[in-house]
Amino acid sequence: MNKTLTNKILITLAFLFAYRILAYVPVPGVNVDVIKEFFNSNNSNALGLFNMFSGKAAERLSIISLGIMPYITSSIIMELLAATFPNLGKMKKERDGMQKYMQIIRYATIVITLIQSIGVSIGLQSITGRSGEQAIMIDMNVFIAISAVSMLTGTMLLMWIGEQITQRGIGNGISLIIFAGIVSGIPNAIGGTVNLINTSEMNFLVAIGIFIIILVTIGIIIFVEMGERRIPISYSRKVVMQNQNKRIMNYIPIKVNLSGVIPPIFASAILMFPSTILQASTNKYAQAINDFLNPQGYMFNFLTFLFVIFFAFFYASIVFNTKDISENLKRQGGFIPGVRPGENTASYLNDVAGRLTLSGAIYLGLISTLPWVLVKTMGVPFYFGGTSVLIVVSVALDTMRRIEAQIYMNKYQTLSAVGL
């Protein structure tokens, strides 16, 4: 393995290790045992889902207990605004403008983190342990200020770690942070399932059924994520002769799932945002909203399905801009056989991408909700839901592709340096 690739992998692992260390640093002034007891009793609702995405940092009220979700939420808002306002969308495409665009996302992340941290801090004052001990051990006003600063610092550190992994390591930093948080809970999930079997609270055949569901889900995800439609491209003889010593791509690859793992992450971020603010509140309306957004309920999964489909189309339209592709193709002297260059090419690509995105969106929606439906009928808890499996497998596949690409790039660089 090339030294450069080895260094990138080690850098990625080092930053992920730092992320896991931060998950064990609690906010000053809290009784961690009371917080953990509270999350254990709310493992099957939105708090349990939020705790899973944070890598169990929420049950320790770590400084990174809000996770990377505030950053994702601000990214969603900016993507929607960029699609609505042309000037903002133009800023995103320019090199200097992209820096300003990312700066706005960071400022929005600060605002969202402060709102969520203050909401969590206020909600914690009503939590008590079994023996009557309070969750907060210091003055309430002081605690709100400390927790807001601590959680803001933790979220900013996570955002910085994600950017460093993307720039200096292997893979997408934000996705790998979510990946690491979910994977860190697998040993506890396996241990919990074994304990349920040993205490006869779960039938062994039911556990086998859950295991088979996970394997089938993983197989479907790998099959679909690797699938793509290749649109053939032809070039004029002049272009071919001018580039006879270079490889010209003779097809446009369009993935079945153009939007990747982003739609389930966006959907989870939106649905968990109200629960994050309203958690531990004693207000009856806040409790009604939390019950309404229970991950084990029908409405939560129905909304998840709808949000996933919406964000699949929305994000696919961003990452696969048919107008830009047709203009670049025309500029390079390429064309799709039987289709006129320009608007006709854009329209053709848009139709193909639309059909594939529809299939990909339904696939994402089913993967996100079908395991819950199957396990709901079996009457047992499901620790590793469809969204979690989708994120873990998709991020793993993407990271493997990036490692392979780096290996091939190193081989080409070696050949160009020493010759054949």
Side-chain angles (χ1 to χ4, degrees):
M1 187 180 292
N2 184 273
K3 184 178 180 181
T4 303
L5 178 59
T6 302
N7 290 337
K8 288 186 175 183
I9 293 175
L10 291 176
I11 289 172
T12 301
L13 293 176
F15 277 117
L16 291 179
F17 179 73
Y19 156 65
R20 292 308 304 157
I21 292 296
L22 290 174
Y24 290 87
V25 181
V27 173
V30 296
N31 190 327
V32 179
D33 294 333
V34 175
I35 302 296
K36 189 172 184 178
E37 181 182 312
F38 171 76
F39 273 94
N40 288 337
S41 62
N42 290 274
N43 191 44
S44 60
N45 55 29
L47 293 178
L49 184 64
F50 173 73
N51 189 33
M52 180 193 68
F53 274 102
S54 68
K56 301 294 183 180
E59 68 179 25
R60 307 181 190 97
L61 202 68
S62 162
I63 60 174
I64 61 167
S65 57
L66 294 180
I68 202 67
M69 288 304 172
Y71 177 80
I72 295 175
T73 304
S74 62
S75 298
I76 296 172
I77 296 172
M78 287 301 296
E79 292 286 2
L80 291 172
L81 292 176
T84 305
F85 300 99
N87 291 335
L88 193 58
K90 185 178 179 180
M91 176 195 295
K92 183 182 174 183
K93 294 180 180 180
E94 298 173 353
R95 184 175 180 180
D96 293 336
M98 188 61 183
Q99 295 179 353
K100 296 180 181 178
Y101 181 85
M102 293 303 300
Q103 199 67 27
I104 295 174
I105 291 180
R106 294 187 185 97
Y107 289 139
T109 301
I110 293 174
V111 174
I112 293 174
T113 302
L114 288 175
I115 293 174
Q116 289 186 336
S117 60
I118 293 173
V120 169
S121 302
I122 295 175
L124 288 176
Q125 65 180 333
S126 61
I127 297 179
T128 56
R130 294 178 181 177
S131 303
E133 61 270 30
Q134 297 291 324
I136 302 174
M137 299 183 294
I138 59 177
D139 180 73
M140 187 61 198
N141 294 327
V142 175
F143 175 74
I144 291 176
I146 293 176
S147 64
V149 174
S150 301
M151 291 184 185
L152 177 61
T153 303
T155 300
M156 292 297 104
L157 280 173
L158 278 189
M159 189 170 65
W160 179 78
I161 288 174
E163 292 177 351
Q164 292 301 309
I165 292 175
T166 302
Q167 294 173 7
R168 302 171 58 186
I170 290 289
N172 183 287
I174 303 301
S175 298
L176 282 173
I177 287 175
I178 299 175
F179 170 88
I182 296 174
V183 169
S184 65
I186 293 180
N188 288 334
I190 294 175
T193 303
V194 172
N195 288 333
L196 289 176
I197 296 174
N198 292 335
T199 57
S200 300
E201 295 181 36
M202 179 185 292
N203 190 288
F204 180 74
L205 294 178
V206 172
I208 294 296
I210 294 176
F211 181 70
I212 292 174
I213 290 173
I214 294 175
L215 290 182
V216 171
T217 303
I218 291 174
I220 293 173
I221 291 172
I222 294 175
F223 178 77
V224 176
E225 293 297 325
M226 301 294 287
E228 63 181 21
R229 168 79 182 275
R230 296 183 175 182
I231 307 297
I233 299 297
S234 296
Y235 291 90
S236 63
R237 182 176 178 82
K238 180 180 178 181
V239 173
V240 173
M241 294 300 295
Q242 289 176 346
N243 296 273
Q244 58 183 343
N245 295 324
K246 299 179 181 179
R247 181 178 179 272
I248 302 177
M249 182 175 288
N250 57 357
Y251 63 86
I252 299 175
I254 306 178
K255 294 183 63 178
V256 175
N257 180 22
L258 275 170
S259 54
V261 73
I262 298 299
I265 295 177
F266 278 13
S268 299
I270 287 180
L271 291 174
M272 287 193 298
F273 182 75
S275 297
T276 306
I277 298 177
L278 302 174
Q279 63 180 320
S281 176
T282 57
N283 185 281
K284 63 178 182 179
Y285 297 107
Q287 291 178 346
I289 294 175
N290 280 328
D291 293 338
F292 183 75
L293 295 178
N294 186 344
Q296 301 299 321
Y298 292 95
M299 186 53 65
F300 179 91
N301 288 274
F302 176 71
L303 291 175
T304 298
F305 186 84
L306 293 182
F307 278 133
V308 166
I309 290 180
F310 168 75
F311 282 118
F313 276 95
F314 172 74
Y315 200 74
S317 65
I318 294 175
V319 299
F320 192 77
N321 192 317
T322 56
K323 185 177 179 180
D324 290 346
I325 293 174
S326 63
E327 290 178 355
N328 292 334
L329 199 61
K330 185 177 180 180
R331 194 179 302 114
Q332 295 171 1
F335 60 93
I336 300 174
V339 181
R340 291 185 177 182
E343 294 183 2
N344 289 341
T345 297
S347 178
Y348 175 80
L349 291 175
N350 193 50
D351 291 340
V352 174
R355 290 194 296 268
L356 289 175
T357 301
L358 177 61
S359 303
I362 294 175
Y363 143 78
L364 287 175
L366 290 176
I367 289 295
S368 300
T369 57
L370 186 58
W372 167 83
V373 174
L374 294 176
V375 176
K376 188 74 173 179
T377 59
M378 300 168 71
V380 293
F382 196 66
Y383 297 104
F384 204 46
T387 302
S388 305
V389 177
L390 177 64
I391 293 173
V392 169
V393 175
S394 298
V395 173
L397 287 174
D398 179 67
T399 305
M400 288 175 60
R401 290 194 194 102
R402 291 172 186 254
I403 292 175
E404 290 178 357
Q406 185 69 39
I407 292 174
Y408 285 127
M409 185 181 299
N410 292 332
K411 288 183 179 179
Y412 292 146
Q413 289 174 350
T414 302
L415 287 174
S416 64
V418 302
L420 296 176

